């Protein structure tokens, strides 16, 4: 049996044991003792799914929290926000009326699976949405839009009071419509085009929401119920399970973006490496998609639309074009932009590891040879072709870097959102002799320690890990372990994402079938948080992530992309440390590395440009509003364009001083010698669409990322050249040998 086959079987075994544990836990609460309702009636199916979902969350989710009155109240509040994220539809009188459900909701949900509250609230939502749509159509056809005043639109209403009267609601709708109109006008559209576009967008949203099936409405409600336990517990309806199956088989024809829904917004959570969205350089995590259009058609508004329907709009045939209307994360003055992407198939081939070899001039006529490995995810063999794993691929690349006598390595994890736990453990083992990599505490409180048991070390030289807020889950396990061991210098954003929890997907149909409960439709599945990750030192990666030894400036460090920014995250905690060898290869040198990096950041022009951008970004996070004065907005756009031009000039000077680099891929890693040298700067993919617009050019955004990578390479060069303690010098010498 191959090692990879063993890992796959181990993964399946863990999943089976988890499902068994959930089944035992659920049967122990007496589901079988409840009155059996074998009818295939849709209402009975709704009730049974609701009781089953509630029972599983109560007894199998990590927190083991009963669905009591407090959680039920939270469900009502979150459900209102899921339908009306801008808090502009439901009136205060509506909320007061719905408050009558609070006293009995927990008992009726757990006992009878009663979902009358969810349906009544949704019916009122459709009523209010219909009123807003009629108002918007009337205003668009009759009103004159003026943008010469000095007022502004506050787009963050998460904590705002709901309107007390219909007149107050209409005032909010008017301001929202003005903001949308101005965004369209700043794209230089004619008034008739703006009216047609906005009217079609809003009308289509009403049609879509009115056409939702009963089980889809239930799905929104149960997903809200799951989220009050933690942000990663979800109810997955039939369409979501189909999407998950497509994604797991890596045969998705789309844009290559993981989306999430919160408070009515469809937000990009992460970009799939190699996908159209990532290649374009026009989108980034945190951007909000507000409308989707097919080629030659008007956009469809997706604000407050269920995520499954938004995904259906974005997905389509390979080679077709989809246009996204996006509110970029960043300064509030940044206008809404339209991004055209050509759908493509996203395969594992696009996501595999790759490397570079860099020859840095030393100033004495010589060069310092360093390596960079880009690892976008901890992928594992999915079957159906040549066996592939992140560990095996990185091993090949490290072998090539060793053969070419690199003196140090940067492992780039900035866009690594996680993946296979086994791959994270095995890949960590390439850099340490053996020992614990991660500890996992389950719902029963027991702690399992996963170790690297292979004493062989593939690379023992100087190592820098480049991380960001987008480094999550499995990448945090690797970074946390190597930081605990004192094996690698962690560089990048102040901390990683902070996701330290584990989820299991539990199909509901088998439980309902076993209990003799008929179901009129596919009951879907429940994704439940069942355990928590801890570092060898015992500290959780939850919320706090992995903090950088040397912090580099970036706008992502101040974005809302983090576990702590999500609602109701599980807390940070600690467990006893597992015995492991502390190598102490980092701490003696961190102060010097920080000092030298800070000196460069303070004196070099590109970093001054970046600091200015960060300052504007932070200011926008405080104001959370946008001016409705057209002249001011156009001036801000012109200033942004001028800054982009200045950055382009600075970058041109920077590129002239970049070192010679050699692209190392899995295809040429086994070939003798080095390929022809290539330009170090990443070039943006041209397949984003001819009519794509952006708040900054694709090349500028790629250059900002390269600027951070450049500095991490210089930190590595400093690390390599610093005088080492005797033990470290001997170890690094072994690592530098071919």
């Amino acid at each position: 049996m191959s090692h990879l086959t063993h890992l796959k079987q181990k993964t399946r075994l863990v999943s089976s044991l988890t499902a068994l544990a959930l089944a035992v836990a659920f049967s122990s609460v007496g589901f079988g003792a409840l009155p059996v309702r074998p009818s295939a009636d849709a209402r009975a199916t709704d009730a049974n799914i609701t009781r089953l979902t509630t029972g599983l969350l109560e007894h199998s989710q990590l927190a083991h929290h009963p669905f009591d009155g407090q959680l039920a109240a939270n469900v009502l509040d979150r459900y209102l926000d899921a339908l009306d994220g801008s808090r502009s539809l439901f009136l205060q009188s509506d909320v007061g009326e719905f408050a009558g459900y609070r006293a009995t909701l927990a008992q009726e949900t757990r006992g009878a699976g009663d979902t009358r509250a969810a349906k009544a609230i949704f019916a009122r939502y459709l009523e209010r949405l219909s009123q807003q749509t009629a108002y918007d159509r009337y205003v668009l056809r009759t009103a004159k839009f003026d943008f010469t005043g000095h007022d502004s639109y506050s787009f963050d209403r998460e904590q705002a009071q709901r309107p007390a009267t219909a007149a107050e609601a209409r005032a909010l709708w008017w301001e929202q419509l003005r903001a949308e109109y101005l965004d369209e006008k700043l794209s230089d559209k004619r008034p008739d085009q703006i009216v047609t576009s906005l009217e079609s967008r809003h009308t289509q949203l009403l049609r879509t929401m009115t056409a939702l099936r009963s089980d889809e409405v239930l799905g929104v409600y149960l997903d809200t119920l799951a989220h009050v336990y933690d942000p990663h517990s979800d109810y997955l309806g039939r369409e979501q399970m189909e999407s998950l199956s497509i994604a797991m088989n890596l045969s998705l024809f789309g844009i290559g973006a993981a989306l999430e829904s919160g408070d009515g917004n469809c937000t990009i959570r992460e970009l799939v490496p190699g996908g159209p969205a990532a290649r374009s350089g026009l989108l980034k995590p945190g951007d909000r998609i507000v409308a989707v259009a097919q080629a030659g058609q008007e956009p469809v508004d997706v604000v407050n639309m269920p995520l499954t329907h938004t995904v259906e709009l974005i997905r389509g045939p390979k080679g077709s074009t989809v246009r996204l209307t996006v509110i970029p994360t960043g300064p509030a003055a940044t206008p809404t932009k339209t991004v055209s992407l050509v759908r493509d198939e996203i395969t594992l081939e696009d996501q595999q590891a790759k490397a570079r070899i860099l020859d840095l001039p030393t100033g004495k006529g010589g060069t310092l040879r360093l390596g960079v490995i880009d690892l976008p995810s901890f992928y594992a063999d999915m079957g159906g072709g040549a066996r592939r794993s992140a560990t095996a691929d990185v091993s090949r690349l490290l072998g090539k870097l060793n053969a070419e006598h690199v003196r140090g390595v940067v492992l780039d994890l900035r866009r690594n959102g996680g993946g296979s736990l086994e791959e994270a453990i095995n890949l960590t083992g390439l850099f340490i002799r053996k020992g614990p990599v991660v500890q996992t505490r389950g719902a029963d409180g027991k702690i399992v320690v996963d170790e690297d048991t292979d004493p062989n070390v593939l690379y023992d030289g100087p190592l820098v890990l480049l991380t960001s807020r987008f480094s999550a889950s499995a990448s945090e396990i690797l970074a946390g372990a190597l930081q605990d061991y004192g094996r690698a210098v962690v560089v990048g954003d102040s901390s990683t994402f902070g996701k330290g929890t584990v989820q299991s997907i539990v199909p509901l149909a088998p439980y309902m079938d076993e209990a003799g409960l008929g179901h009129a439709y596919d009951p879907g599945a429940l994704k439940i948080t069942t355990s928590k990750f801890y570092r060898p030192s015992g500290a959780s990666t939850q919320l706090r992530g992995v903090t950088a030894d040397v912090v580099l400036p970036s706008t992502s460090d101040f974005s809302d992309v983090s576990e702590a920014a999500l609602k109701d995250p599980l807390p940070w905690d600690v467990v006893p440390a597992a015995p492991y060898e502390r190598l102490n290869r980092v701490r003696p040198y961190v102060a010097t590395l920080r000092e030298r990096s800070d000196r460069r950041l303070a004196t070099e022009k590109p970093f001054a440009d970046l600091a200015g951008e960060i300052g504007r970004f932070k200011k926008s996070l405080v104001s959370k509003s946008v001016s409705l004065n057209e002249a001011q907005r156009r001036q801000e756009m012109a200033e942004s364009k001028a800054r982009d031009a200045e950055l382009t000039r600075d970058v041109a000077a920077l590129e002239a001083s970049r070192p010679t680099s050699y692209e190392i891929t899995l295809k040429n890693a086994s070939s003798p010698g080095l390929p022809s040298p290539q330009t170090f700067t990443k070039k943006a993919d041209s397949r984003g669409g001819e009519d794509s617009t952006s708040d900054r050019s694709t090349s500028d955004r790629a250059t900002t990322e390269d600027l951070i990578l450049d500095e991490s390479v210089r930190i590595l060069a400093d690390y390599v050249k610093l005088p080492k303690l005797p033990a470290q010098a001997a170890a690094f010498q072994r690592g530098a040998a071919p």
Side-chain angles (χ1 to χ4, degrees), residues 119-148:
K119 294 173 182 176
I121 292 172
F122 186 77
R124 184 66 54 81
Y125 161 75
L126 289 180
E127 180 184 343
R128 299 300 184 212
L129 182 62
S130 178
Q131 292 169 357
Q132 183 188 21
T133 303
Y135 173 83
D136 289 344
R137 293 178 63 185
Y138 174 78
V139 169
L140 284 168
R141 295 177 181 181
T142 61
K144 180 179 180 181
F145 289 83
D146 178 77
F147 300 104
T148 60

Side-chain angles (χ1 to χ4, degrees), residues 608-666:
D609 295 338
L610 181 56
E613 182 180 349
I614 292 171
R616 289 184 290 274
F617 184 87
K618 291 170 65 176
K619 183 178 179 181
S620 74
L621 293 178
V622 174
S623 65
K624 296 187 177 181
S625 63
V626 61
S627 171
L628 293 180
N629 181 282
E630 182 179 357
Q632 179 181 338
R633 291 283 293 278
R634 290 194 180 277
Q635 180 182 351
E636 291 169 346
M637 291 170 61
E639 291 172 351
S640 177
K641 186 175 181 180
R643 288 193 298 269
D644 289 345
E646 182 179 9
L647 178 59
T648 300
R649 292 191 295 270
D650 292 341
V651 165
L654 184 65
E655 288 182 352
S657 63
R658 281 215 168 100
T660 302
S661 70
Y662 305 90
E663 195 80 14
I664 307 298
T665 66
L666 295 170

Side-chain angles (χ1 to χ4, degrees), residues 7-81:
L7 287 180
K8 290 177 67 179
Q9 291 186 355
K10 178 182 177 184
T11 302
R12 286 196 293 268
L13 178 61
V14 170
S15 300
S16 300
L17 290 176
T18 301
L20 178 61
L22 291 172
V24 171
F26 190 65
S27 62
S28 70
V29 302
F31 184 80
L34 292 172
V36 175
R37 303 167 68 178
S39 170
D41 175 75
R43 181 178 300 178
T45 299
D46 288 355
N48 290 332
I49 292 174
T50 301
R51 291 187 299 159
L52 177 55
T53 297
T54 307
L56 284 170
L57 287 167
E58 282 187 311
H59 297 277
S60 301
Q61 199 267 356
L62 184 64
H64 278 295
H65 196 296
F67 188 68
D68 56 16
Q70 181 59 54
L71 284 186
N74 291 345
V75 168
L76 277 181
D77 293 338
R78 295 281 291 272
Y79 185 54
L80 292 172
D81 284 338

Side-chain angles (χ1 to χ4, degrees), residues 469-491:
R469 287 284 183 185
F470 309 128
S471 306
S473 194
S475 61
E476 295 177 289
I477 289 172
L478 179 141
L482 294 182
Q483 188 178 62
D484 282 352
Y485 277 80
R487 176 64 188 89
V489 182
V490 180
V491 170

Side-chain angles (χ1 to χ4, degrees), residues 3 6-7 10 421-430 432-440 447-456 477 481 485 533-536 577-581:
H3 182 57
H6 172 71
L7 287 180
K10 178 182 177 184
L421 172 61
E422 286 78 16
E423 289 299 321
I425 295 168
N426 293 338
L427 204 145
T428 303
L430 301 180
I432 62 173
R433 298 199 178 281
K434 61 180 180 178
V437 174
V438 61
Q439 303 186 76
T440 307
I447 297 173
V448 176
V449 180
D450 285 301
E451 301 188 10
D452 166 48
T453 58
D454 186 349
N456 294 317
I477 289 172
Y485 277 80
F533 287 136
Y534 299 85
R535 294 161 57 151
Y580 65 96
E581 180 185 9

